[in-house]
Amino acid sequence: MSKGLQFVSRLLLLTLLTISVTGGLGALAQEMPALAVTEYTLENGLEVILVEDRSAPTVVVNVTYQVGGANDPAGRSGFAHLFEHLMFEETAHLETGELDNLVETVGGYLNAYTAIERTVYYTALPAHQLPLALWYEADRLASLVVSQDNFENQRAVVIEEYQERVSNSPYGEAIQDLFTLPYTFAPYRQRPIGSVADLNAATIDDVIAFHATYYVPNNATLVVAGDIDVESTRSLIDEFFADIPAQAEPPALTSDTAGESIANRVNIGDPLANISAILIGYPVPPRSDADFAALEVATRILGYGASSRMAQALLDTGLALDTGVFTDGNREESLVATYAFANMGVTLDEIEAVYQDVLAQIIADGPTADELDKAINQIRSERIVSLETVEGLAEAVQVANFYFDDPQAVFGEIDRFADVTVADVQRVVSEYLTAENAVVILVEPGEASTAADTSAEATAAAEANVNAATSAPEPAFVIAQAEPPEPLPIREFVLPEIRETTLENGLTVIVIPRPEVPIISVDVYMPGGESAVAPELAGVAGMTADLLTRGTENRTAQEIAAEIEQVGGVVGADATQDRLAAGVFALREDAELAFAILSDIVLNPTFPEAELEVSRQQFITSLQDVFANPDALAARTFTRLVYGDHPYGIVPTETSLTAIDRDAIAAYYADQANPARAFMIITGAITPEDGTALAEQYFSGWVWEGDDELAALPEPQTSTEPGIYLVDRPGSTQAQYVIGSLGISGSDERRDAARVLNTILGAGFTSRLMQVIREELGYTYGISSSFTYPVTQGTVSIATAVGNDVAAPALEAILEQVNLLRDETVPQSELDAKLSGLIGSEALRLETYQSLVDFVAALRLRGLPVSEISDRIVRLANVDVETIQTAAQTLIVPENLLIVVVGDADVLEAPLSAIAPVTVLEAE
């Protein structure tokens, strides 16, 4: 539903998930007053929390250590984060890479993140594989082994992550400043991602000391959530963890002074940005403080949702492309942050003045009672969704325990929000969101005002450390069991019933009951999308989707937003290559309201002229963000080159967006809005009978006269010559790659083979590309391959970002892996492992209501039966070595590959020309 601005996703990524859990779960407070929690502490100090949830045969093991970026040693910023990477390497019983293989082979996934004051490791698995996760968590807690090779490799990976997120990313420095500079508590001013100089200065001795200090059982909390038997789980935990000895208590975070003085205004020139931005941070009380709850409610009122004060003042008026206000809660001191991105031609002074006016209005008059209720309802519905997966459940329990010393605070915290008054909001805004308390960061496109941290001195220090480094000693303690344990008995995953009905007007209604989730989700899909648009009007589908929620015959844009957001719901619309869609989410008691609003925007849109002009300006401005971001620009360029003049290759430009008028939008929608071609998916706590009845009640009046058949798209033919296409982005410190060609359609019989092939090549941490390009060579933070499966013909591609100094060898290594996959038969053992992982992951893959909706929608758009959901395991099991080899040789053809690179042409053209002919393209 966004229009391409990537800042918010980057912002949330860099906060390392610490924001997502500050929302609320309150609607469950009355229905589920307590979790099924068992809490105890082992003699060695390990805190254990077990949460039983039998809704699906899945389980998550979450181990949180009380150590983060704030605990980094002096001169070693980023060290906790570097150490997080090393925890996935070698232990007393596991070789490098073995851990990922064990987990992915049984259908699970694992990951970790480092925040200011916590490092969190989590694994999601089929429930019967719980013993495996408990065993290896104990193994790496007790007996991590750090080799010189692993240490050097992971340091290189983390430095590439720094380049990708900070030095080569628009707003990278500004985001880091936003999450550090406002704090007065000195330890929080350290960047968890660190600096290249400090990372290069780290040694193995540092790692050993860090592990011994913080990675001890008496500094950790183990949460096991999901389909578990409490007594047998306790026995397993005792078996693996009880004998690990406690150690000295780690040093507490302290701040003897208020920290060095920081200017209230910071000006950043960002040569990689195309859009001006203002970021404002305020230090506020800890999350456990009563005022934090009032601040959380205040930020919702100020900047969350289309009916928020900031959205009305900046987005509805066309001043900004995007804006928001949020909290980031911590133990010692928290943060309130505001961001806004100016539309083209709007100054940051104008944006800031409007923001200050909004604050002044809140302080003078306070929010309305409706605004207060809306904010609390939004928090409540978010908490419900966050608990739908066992991963979310385990994280919510960890957070509640960490900040409130009470796992049941998952629900209890909602009482704090419910107690907030209008006067409380006025008071906390006037007390904390003041000019004196703020750090204002102004980002303007232009000459860099900060230098990249890639000094020769840092490199020299790293080389000196390699020569001086010691070998890691033998672990002081090794758990007794040397081999992975046997799994528990299997409980099969049972898919919910899927009921399909056709109304008299031709609308297909699909209901997927999920009674365990107290929400209602309704989505209407209209086949066609961007591919049904004339080239000179490219972007009309996206703008049409945007305008669907901006006015109907019965409601204005603000009335639509306010009505659904008042009950904690969300409404939106978007367009892709193959469809236009609109959807609504709400709590189950608001099902009738959800249907009423969705039917109004689908059946009665008016596409107001004034809203069109605001939307147009936002779309044009968002293009500038695409052009500034190397990953988005590489993907856009690849799409244009691989599809050529085919409808899939037509992308919006400022010219096409300017040409779109209201008549064009109305005509486009009139062609798309055909109930006989459309389908509706309803899911949540609703029966098939009730869902179908509501669809009939609200959508039976949807009529359309015209051709029921959608015009078939032509088969795409790539006219671009294979080779390297280098999009010049002066100043880039990385080369951003997209390497690929045309693939197959979503209904192609080879789709199962393609899925397995993709898993072998580049999907998942144990894929060949990830293991070689990241783990063995240390060239990248991440690399992946993908097949797309649209209605007509998709693509196969590989995407990664690597440092300029290794751009050529990285490309050669990638192409080598492609050729090996084609030329050498995949070992049966490798295929068996991938099939086992894919089949074992089905319960996790379809755990959420949204994943089921997305899967069913994709099948319908491709003309495939919904039964493929249940048939998929059988189809995968039929993929053999011969099938894979044929797929590799026919679907990935090296001589057809287009290699798109976004980077500095002055640096990259010469080395890349030694591999293949290079065509330099100017950035759009």
Side-chain angles (χ1 to χ4, degrees):
M1 298 172 193
S2 69
K3 296 179 284 296
L5 185 69
Q6 300 181 23
F7 172 78
V8 177
S9 61
R10 291 196 298 273
L11 188 65
L12 295 178
L13 180 64
L14 285 166
T15 64
L16 301 169
L17 306 184
T18 58
I19 296 172
S20 62
V21 293
T22 64
L25 223 181
L28 290 182
Q30 294 179 343
E31 299 175 23
M32 296 171 56
L35 294 169
V37 167
T38 300
E39 185 180 9
Y40 62 100
T41 302
L42 299 182
E43 288 186 7
N44 59 13
L46 177 68
E47 188 176 15
V48 179
I49 303 172
L50 309 180
V51 190
E52 188 176 1
D53 176 6
R54 297 298 185 100
S55 59
T58 57
V59 68
V60 161
V61 174
N62 179 309
V63 183
T64 295
Y65 295 90
Q66 296 186 40
V67 58
N71 303 91
D72 286 339
R76 296 291 187 270
S77 66
F79 193 78
H81 179 218
L82 169 62
F83 189 84
E84 171 215 313
H85 282 244
L86 290 167
M87 280 285 282
F88 288 86
E89 298 300 301
E90 188 177 350
T91 71
H93 299 309
L94 291 170
E95 299 293 330
T96 300
E98 194 174 353
L99 171 58
D100 298 293
N101 275 311
L102 284 172
V103 175
E104 289 192 9
T105 298
V106 299
Y109 63 85
L110 71 167
N111 214 328
Y113 67 87
T114 305
I116 276 184
E117 50 195 356
R118 299 185 300 141
T119 303
V120 180
Y121 300 83
Y122 57 94
T123 303
L125 292 153
H128 65 281
Q129 293 293 346
L130 172 62
L132 172 64
L134 292 173
W135 172 76
Y136 74 67
E137 286 293 2
D139 191 30
R140 63 179 175 175
L141 165 61
S143 56
L144 185 72
V145 176
V146 181
S147 69
Q148 186 68 50
D149 285 346
N150 287 340
F151 177 62
E152 292 300 319
N153 173 275
Q154 291 306 306
R155 173 161 53 192
V157 168
V158 171
I159 289 173
E160 281 306 309
E161 181 180 359
Y162 176 91
Q163 301 284 6
E164 184 174 321
R165 292 188 178 184
V166 183
S167 65
N168 202 46
S169 175
Y171 317 106
E173 285 291 334
I175 293 170
Q176 294 297 322
D177 285 348
L178 176 63
F179 284 95
T180 52
L181 295 185
Y183 290 116
T184 63
F185 185 64
Y188 286 1
R189 285 194 175 164
Q190 296 193 109
R191 296 180 174 187
I193 201 168
S195 72
V196 174
D198 285 354
L199 290 167
N200 274 331
T203 70
I204 279 184
D205 291 338
D206 296 329
V207 174
I208 296 167
F210 196 83
H211 187 267
T213 301
Y214 294 105
Y215 279 73
V216 296
N218 42 304
N219 197 45
T221 300
L222 167 66
V223 169
V224 182
D227 185 11
I228 61 172
D229 173 77
V230 171
E231 290 307 313
S232 62
T233 302
R234 289 190 70 151
S235 296
L236 287 168
I237 291 170
D238 287 344
E239 178 183 355
F240 298 133
F241 287 91
D243 292 336
I244 302 174
Q247 302 296 329
E249 289 297 319
L253 286 175
T254 60
S255 181
D256 296 332
T257 67
E260 62 178 296
S261 177
I262 297 293
N264 283 94
R265 300 182 77 81
V266 178
N267 292 281
I268 295 179
D270 192 338
L272 302 179
N274 287 344
I275 303 170
S276 299
I278 181 171
L279 318 176
I280 305 174
Y282 307 87
V284 298
R287 179 165 174 170
S288 59
D289 190 283
D291 278 356
F292 184 85
L295 284 161
E296 172 71 6
V297 173
T299 60
R300 296 283 174 146
I301 293 167
L302 285 168
Y304 186 91
S307 63
S308 69
R309 294 285 183 103
M310 292 286 283
Q312 293 182 60
L314 292 176
L315 302 184
D316 291 355
T317 59
L319 293 174
L321 174 64
D322 197 12
T323 187
V325 187
F326 59 87
T327 56
D328 187 12
N330 298 308
R331 272 184 170 174
E332 298 292 340
E333 190 175 49
S334 297
L335 176 75
V336 166
T338 296
Y339 64 89
F341 290 81
N343 269 326
M344 306 301 290
V346 179
T347 68
L348 294 182
D349 286 345
E350 293 175 82
I351 297 288
E352 188 174 7
V354 171
Y355 170 62
Q356 293 300 335
D357 284 346
V358 170
L359 291 182
Q361 290 167 10
I362 288 285
I363 293 169
D365 303 325
T368 66
D370 281 349
E371 285 180 309
L372 198 66
D373 290 343
K374 178 179 65 175
I376 295 170
N377 286 334
Q378 288 171 336
I379 293 170
R380 296 162 82 181
S381 62
E382 277 187 11
R383 289 283 176 96
I384 291 174
V385 175
S386 76
L387 290 187
E388 187 185 8
T389 68
V390 285
E391 180 187 329
L393 174 61
E395 175 72 2
V397 168
Q398 280 281 22
V399 167
N401 187 66
F402 186 82
Y403 293 111
F404 299 100
D405 197 27
D406 178 13
Q408 296 292 352
V410 168
F411 299 103
E413 191 179 13
I414 191 60
D415 295 333
R416 296 156 56 87
F417 297 116
D419 291 340
V420 173
T421 66
V422 167
D424 289 332
V425 172
Q426 286 178 286
R427 177 180 56 79
V428 296
V429 171
S430 64
E431 182 175 347
Y432 299 110
L433 306 191
T434 65
E436 297 76 21
N437 202 35
V439 171
V440 180
I441 302 164
L442 304 167
V443 185
E444 295 285 2
E447 186 175 348
S449 58
T450 55
D453 186 6
T454 55
S455 65
E457 292 82 1
T459 303
E463 292 172 352
N465 284 337
V466 171
N467 296 329
T470 63
S471 297
E474 290 297 318
F477 179 84
V478 176
I479 63 173
Q481 185 161 335
E483 298 293 331
E486 291 296 316
L488 301 171
I490 295 177
R491 184 165 77 88
E492 295 295 332
F493 176 57
V494 179
L495 282 165
E497 173 193 12
I498 299 177
R499 184 83 61 86
E500 187 171 321
T501 307
T502 302
L503 305 185
E504 287 188 9
N505 61 0
L507 177 65
T508 299
V509 178
I510 302 167
V511 184
I512 310 173
R514 293 292 301 270
E516 71 278 11
V517 186
I519 57 94
I520 182 75
S521 168
V522 191
D523 296 278
V524 173
Y525 296 85
M526 293 167 269
E530 293 285 1
S531 61
V533 174
E536 64 272 15
L537 295 177
V540 73
M543 288 183 67
T544 301
D546 188 46
L547 289 171
L548 280 175
T549 61
R550 295 206 184 191
T552 71
E553 295 172 5
N554 306 301
R555 295 172 172 88
T556 65
Q558 270 304 314
E559 287 171 341
I560 293 169
E563 197 170 353
I564 192 65
E565 290 177 5
Q566 188 64 41
V567 297
V570 179
V571 65
D574 71 351
T576 65
Q577 285 177 323
D578 291 323
R579 54 91 177 139
L580 177 68
V584 64
F585 160 87
L587 299 178
R588 64 184 173 193
E589 59 262 33
D590 300 307
E592 291 239 10
L593 175 64
F595 273 89
I597 290 177
L598 184 62
S599 65
D600 196 21
I601 67 174
V602 171
L603 275 60
N604 309 310
T606 55
F607 311 116
E609 196 74 52
E611 297 288 350
L612 167 60
E613 293 310 314
V614 171
S615 179
R616 185 199 318 281
Q617 186 58 49
Q618 290 174 333
F619 269 80
I620 290 173
T621 302
S622 71
L623 274 181
Q624 297 303 314
D625 187 69
V626 171
F627 300 152
N629 284 281
D631 52 350
L633 182 55
R636 176 183 169 95
T637 305
F638 174 74
T639 297
R640 294 174 59 201
L641 293 176
V642 77
Y643 281 116
D645 293 334
H646 188 272
Y648 283 178
I650 306 303
V651 295
T653 65
E654 185 170 348
T655 300
S656 69
L657 293 170
T658 302
I660 297 169
D661 58 18
R662 187 188 176 282
D663 289 343
I665 287 174
Y668 168 77
Y669 189 69
D671 286 340
Q672 298 296 297
N674 180 353
R677 290 201 304 255
F679 58 93
M680 172 187 290
I681 301 177
I682 307 167
T683 189
I686 192 166
T687 66
E689 293 76 17
D690 288 345
T692 304
L694 283 168
E696 177 74 40
Q697 177 182 347
Y698 286 96
F699 284 86
S700 61
W702 186 7
V703 295
W704 189 88
E705 295 182 4
D707 188 358
D708 287 346
E709 296 298 322
L710 191 67
L713 294 175
E715 290 295 323
Q717 299 291 329
T718 299
S719 57
T720 307
E721 289 295 322
I724 299 175
Y725 292 84
L726 174 55
V727 182
D728 189 20
R729 185 175 185 256
S732 284
T733 60
Q734 287 185 307
Q736 180 80 45
Y737 281 108
V738 176
I739 305 161
S741 64
L742 290 175
I744 60 176
S745 72
S747 57
D748 193 295
E749 284 299 319
R750 296 169 293 177
R751 61 190 180 276
D752 300 299
R755 185 179 174 207
V756 179
L757 179 68
N758 188 52
T759 305
I760 294 170
L761 178 61
F765 204 85
T766 60
S767 66
R768 293 184 179 188
L769 287 173
M770 196 69 156
Q771 288 299 304
V772 173
I773 310 303
R774 169 174 156 149
E775 292 301 292
E776 180 183 324
L777 299 174
Y779 285 163
T780 184
Y781 173 60
I783 183 170
S784 63
S785 65
S786 63
F787 280 80
T788 61
Y789 303 97
V791 171
T792 302
Q793 189 168 6
T795 60
V796 53
S797 62
I798 297 165
T800 191
V802 301
N804 287 344
D805 57 330
V806 297
L811 176 57
E812 290 176 319
I814 293 168
L815 297 176
E816 180 182 3
Q817 290 304 309
V818 170
N819 285 318
L820 283 173
L821 186 56
R822 288 171 44 82
D823 299 339
E824 297 182 5
T825 301
V826 172
Q828 185 67 51
S829 59
E830 185 178 13
L831 176 59
D832 289 344
K834 296 304 181 186
L835 288 174
S836 173
L838 286 170
I839 292 170
S841 69
E842 284 299 291
L844 290 167
R845 191 180 303 276
L846 298 177
E847 191 178 15
T848 69
Y849 80 87
Q850 191 60 58
S851 61
L852 275 169
V853 169
D854 291 344
F855 196 173
V856 171
L859 291 174
R860 287 288 307 185
L861 288 166
R862 300 173 196 164
L864 296 172
V866 174
S867 61
E868 180 148 325
I869 295 179
S870 55
D871 297 342
R872 187 160 63 164
I873 290 177
V874 175
R875 294 173 62 93
L876 287 171
N878 289 330
V879 175
D880 56 22
V881 168
E882 182 179 352
T883 305
I884 285 294
Q885 206 60 35
T886 301
Q889 292 171 354
T890 57
L891 300 183
I892 308 176
V893 183
E895 52 267 29
N896 291 343
L897 293 178
L898 296 174
I899 301 168
V900 173
V901 194
V902 175
D904 193 325
D906 288 343
V907 176
L908 299 176
E909 183 175 8
L912 293 180
S913 294
I915 300 173
V918 174
T919 302
V920 178
L921 306 175
E922 289 188 9
E924 295 178 82

